[in-house]
């Protein structure tokens, strides 16, 4: 089969396209999926470049929560997999063959449904979807029939973004009627957060580029604040909230902006009815922030670090996808053989970028990818 292998930490030159790899075989409780589309995520780049330091800020390492590295080379990346089951292993019913579905991308350490303490994922700790075929756990490949969704659109709603977004909200206890600041709002997690806030009845206020405001408003944002104008940020927040503080911040940016995001929640504690809450699941603006801890404990700011999510959350998201309550935000598709180009486009994304990029095997390109190619 054809696949793109990551052969080491580094630049896009570490991605090597192969056409002669052996077809994987499903084992007990597994299914063989013919991949039709796989969404790209920032974690693909960060894992490739070794940008997950947890002790020394200069450390080059992969994502590892279980005590030892699980990213070994060569590795096929790609977590958000859509496709069709073409074979099943032992203890999997044969009627599953032919089902179209979407992967819950986590590699769970145990069967607990309510917690995920040592998250790993397909495309990192096991081979993923940047290939023509992949073996996956049967119980994590969820059937999604919805004929109005193309396979590329289905992949664009993959769990890496949507489950991360939902776990940010559940960790912070986001409720109906609350004002939620969504940073990095134009990316995969940000656009998921806007939709999920509306589903639970919360009010999303987006931070993004000015020229992306129309699309984000159409998606469900109550207002869009221009991230290039961070001076007097609290005043701009007050203008869109009627002078009230933000209830919770869903932060994908980090860096020097984090302190300003906290400011939006604590400028008038007399108007609050809940503790200020910050969920963070990214650091696109920088991995280090300077925060006065006196402001954190005196104002009782609760901080939640979020990576991945739980089985319960994944199943809820699948139900919302099946019911049509969640919509894909698909930016473009690239053929698998041009993954290097897709990675460079992703890093250097232009002002028109909104949502997800999906990668489609060359053998599936005409049917699944070509309609979404960049013009």
């Amino acid at each position: 089969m054809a696949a793109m292998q990551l052969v080491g930490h580094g630049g896009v030159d570490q991605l090597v396209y192969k056409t002669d790899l052996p077809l994987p075989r499903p084992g007990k409780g597994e299914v063989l999926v013919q991949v039709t589309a796989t969404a790209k995520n920032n974690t693909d780049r960060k894992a490739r470049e070794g940008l997950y330091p947890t002790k020394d800020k200069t450390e080059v390492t992969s994502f590892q929560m279980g005590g030892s590295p699980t990213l070994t080379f060569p590795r096929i990346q790609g977590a958000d997999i859509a496709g069709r089951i073409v074979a099943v292993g032992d203890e999997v019913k044969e009627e599953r063959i032919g089902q179209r579905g979407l992967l819950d991308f986590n590699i769970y350490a145990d069967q607990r449904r309510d917690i995920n303490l040592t998250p790993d994922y397909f495309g990192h700790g096991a081979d993923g979807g940047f290939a023509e075929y992949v073996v996956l756990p049967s119980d994590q490949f969820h059937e999604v029939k919805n004929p109005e969704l193309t396979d590329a659109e289905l992949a664009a709603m993959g769990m890496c973004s949507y489950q991360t977004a939902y776990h940010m909200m559940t960790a912070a206890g986001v409720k109906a009627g609350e004002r939620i600041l969504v940073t990095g709002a134009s990316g995969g997690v940000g656009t998921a957060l806007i939709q999920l806030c509306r589903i639970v009845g919360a009010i999303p206020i987006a931070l993004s580029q000015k020229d992306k405001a129309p699309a984000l408003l159409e998606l469900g944002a109550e207002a869009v604040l221009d991230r290039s104008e961070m001076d007097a940020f609290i005043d701009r927040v007050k203008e869109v909230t009627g002078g009230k503080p933000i209830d919770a911040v869903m932060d994908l940016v980090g860096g020097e902006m984090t302190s300003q995001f906290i400011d939006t929640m604590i400028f008038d504690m007399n108007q609050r009815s809940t503790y200020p809450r910050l969920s963070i699941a990214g650091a696109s603006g920088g991995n280090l922030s300077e925060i006065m801890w006196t402001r954190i404990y005196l104002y009782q700011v609760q901080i939640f670090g979020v990576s991945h999510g739980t089985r319960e959350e994944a199943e809820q998201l699948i139900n919302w996808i099946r019911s049509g309550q969640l919509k894909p935000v698909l930016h473009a598709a690239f053929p698998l053989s041009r993954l290097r180009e897709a990675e460079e486009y992703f890093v250097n994304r232009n002002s028109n970028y909104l949502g997800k990029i999906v990668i489609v095997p060359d053998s599936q390109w005409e049917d699944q990818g070509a309609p979404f190619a960049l013009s």
Side-chain angles (χ1 to χ4, degrees):
M1 71 170 185
M4 187 70 76
Q5 288 187 326
L6 177 65
V7 298
H9 287 307
V12 294
D13 59 302
Q14 297 299 306
L15 295 168
V16 179
Y17 188 59
K18 299 286 188 71
T19 59
D20 58 353
L21 296 177
L23 189 70
R25 295 176 177 270
K28 180 180 176 181
E30 295 178 329
V31 293
L32 177 65
V33 171
Q34 183 178 29
V35 178
T36 51
T38 301
K40 240 202 66 55
N41 292 288
N42 200 34
T43 190
D44 301 323
R45 175 189 65 86
K46 294 181 74 173
R48 169 171 54 79
E49 296 181 3
L51 298 180
Y52 283 114
T54 55
K55 296 179 181 179
D56 179 349
K57 64 184 179 181
T58 64
E59 178 185 21
V60 176
T61 184
S62 67
F63 186 93
Q64 48 182 294
M65 295 294 107
S68 59
T70 60
L71 175 60
T72 57
F73 304 112
R75 171 67 74 221
I76 299 171
Q77 293 185 290
D80 287 335
I81 301 167
R84 286 168 174 76
I85 297 174
V86 294
V88 298
D90 291 342
E91 299 187 7
V92 181
K93 296 179 179 179
E94 288 194 2
E95 56 254 40
R96 294 216 62 190
I97 294 175
Q99 288 183 359
R100 182 181 78 152
L102 182 66
L103 174 68
D104 169 3
F105 77 122
N106 290 284
I107 298 174
Y108 294 105
D110 55 42
Q111 291 298 311
R112 288 192 64 174
R113 294 173 46 76
D114 62 333
I115 198 168
N116 184 8
L117 292 176
T118 56
D120 201 352
Y121 59 97
F122 286 90
H124 184 275
D127 283 341
F130 292 155
E132 290 184 303
Y133 295 90
V134 63
V135 165
L136 303 170
S138 173
D139 64 348
Q140 288 179 230
F141 191 73
H142 299 279
E143 184 178 20
V144 180
K145 295 179 179 179
N146 305 43
E148 74 280 3
L149 288 176
T150 67
D151 288 25
E153 290 171 324
L154 181 59
M157 293 192 289
M159 295 294 111
C160 190
S161 290
Y162 279 80
Q163 193 187 36
T164 299
Y166 190 39
H167 192 51
M168 293 176 79
M169 294 168 57
T170 59
V174 170
K175 300 187 295 295
E178 292 191 315
R179 296 169 296 277
I180 310 300
L181 178 63
V182 178
T183 75
S186 65
V189 180
T191 54
L193 279 164
I194 291 171
Q195 293 191 66
L196 290 165
C197 280
R198 289 303 187 186
I199 285 177
V200 304
I203 304 166
I205 298 168
L207 180 66
S208 188
Q209 295 174 345
K210 184 177 181 180
D211 55 5
K212 296 181 181 179
L216 294 173
L217 291 168
E218 183 178 354
L219 192 62
E222 183 78 4
V224 180
L225 302 174
D226 187 352
R227 74 179 187 189
S228 67
E229 299 177 357
M230 295 301 291
D231 293 338
F233 187 55
I234 291 179
D235 292 336
R236 295 169 57 219
V237 169
K238 289 180 179 179
E239 289 177 5
V240 301
T241 64
K244 296 179 180 179
I246 294 292
D247 291 298
V249 174
M250 304 291 109
D251 187 14
L252 302 164
V253 175
E256 63 184 16
M257 292 185 180
T258 299
S259 185
Q260 288 178 280
F261 300 152
I262 292 172
D263 287 342
T264 69
M265 297 189 289
I266 65 174
F267 62 77
D268 186 350
M269 294 297 287
N270 289 323
Q271 293 198 69
R272 298 196 61 90
S273 59
T274 60
Y275 293 119
R277 289 150 285 147
L278 175 105
S279 281
I280 186 160
S284 62
N287 202 31
L288 297 176
S289 302
E290 184 174 312
I291 302 172
M292 294 177 62
W293 284 113
T294 47
R295 290 203 310 145
I296 300 301
Y297 71 75
L298 290 175
Y299 289 94
Q300 303 185 82
V301 178
Q302 299 178 338
I303 300 177
F304 303 91
V306 171
S307 61
H308 303 194
T310 68
R311 293 178 185 270
E312 288 178 344
E313 290 163 344
E315 290 166 7
Q316 176 62 78
L317 289 164
I318 290 293
N319 288 334
W320 281 331
I321 292 172
R322 288 169 175 164
S323 68
Q325 291 176 268
L326 286 173
K327 305 295 183 184
V329 185
L330 174 58
H331 177 70
F334 284 79
L336 177 61
S337 60
R338 291 168 51 197
L339 180 57
R340 287 186 179 184
E341 180 183 339
E343 289 276 4
E344 291 172 341
Y345 180 87
F346 180 85
V347 171
N348 301 306
R349 63 190 85 174
N350 59 33
S351 61
N352 294 322
Y353 189 98
L354 186 77
K356 302 291 289 187
I357 287 174
V358 299
I359 307 301
V360 175
D362 293 45
S363 56
Q364 300 281 335
W365 177 253
E366 288 304 318
D367 290 336
Q368 307 295 345
F372 306 101
L374 291 171
S375 57

